[in-house]
Amino acid sequence: MPTNVAGPEIERLVQLLARLPGLGPRSARRAALHLIRKRESLLAPLAEALRVAQERIVTCSICGSVDTRDPCTICADERRDTTTLVVVESVGDLWALERAGATRARYHVLGGALSPLDGVGPADLNLTGLVARIAKGEVSELILAVNATVEGQTTAHYIIDLLADYSVKVTRLAHGVPVGGELDYLDDGTLAAAMRQRTAF
């Protein structure tokens, strides 16, 4: 039976770090030791940043993203294209699209994807807000930038049905061979999607 090698405060730090995505018990212990070694330059500023974030972060009442202001920075940006709305599953997906500089549109964060097996139904997603935004009649194109998973595609189909009575063009992200990708390393599903969605030169 393993024994604790440090006080309860340090063990608690390790346990909390282990809950972060991508960090298992060993990685969490290494991260905790690094933070402890760098108490003044890293641990104290991180603790302060976490405290401030906990106090100030809010969910945007328009799009569902997170920020320290409401409406969020993107929704408040008047230079954004108000006629195009990109629907994403998570804030992480929004950040990925922004990092890529892929669009200057506005966003709508669903907060997940439909997954009956996990008990996630329509009521658990930010769908009411989406319908309300479309009902205003300002959006001419809705881009479904959901994940290419069974749950993501189920969610996309549900949204298409939900918005059937509205005059909005619904598109989705292309699926297929990534830029710089080698065919030999791609999975069968990606190759099949790429072949189905081939385009002319």
Side-chain angles (χ1 to χ4, degrees), residues 3-7 11 29:
T3 58
N4 291 342
V5 294
E11 289 298 326
R29 213 165 273 290

Side-chain angles (χ1 to χ4, degrees), residues 37-106:
R37 278 196 304 270
K38 306 280 187 177
R39 272 188 298 248
E40 296 302 318
S41 63
L42 190 56
L43 183 59
L46 177 61
E48 176 62 13
L50 289 170
R51 184 190 65 75
V52 171
Q54 196 274 333
E55 289 174 0
R56 297 186 187 168
I57 288 178
V58 293
T59 300
C60 178
S61 59
I62 297 173
C63 73
S65 185
V66 293
D67 205 332
T68 53
R69 58 188 281 193
D70 183 17
C72 71
T73 303
I74 291 175
C75 287
D77 186 352
E78 294 180 0
R79 297 168 299 175
R80 293 273 172 170
D81 177 8
T82 59
T83 64
T84 305
L85 191 63
V86 181
V87 176
V88 293
E89 291 180 25
S90 70
V91 175
D93 296 336
L94 185 158
W95 288 356
L97 288 169
E98 281 297 291
R99 189 173 59 245
T103 181
R104 292 293 296 166
R106 306 233 175 185

Side-chain angles (χ1 to χ4, degrees), residues 169-181:
K169 176 183 175 185
V170 180
T171 59
R172 68 174 186 173
L173 297 183
H175 300 131
V177 179
V179 174

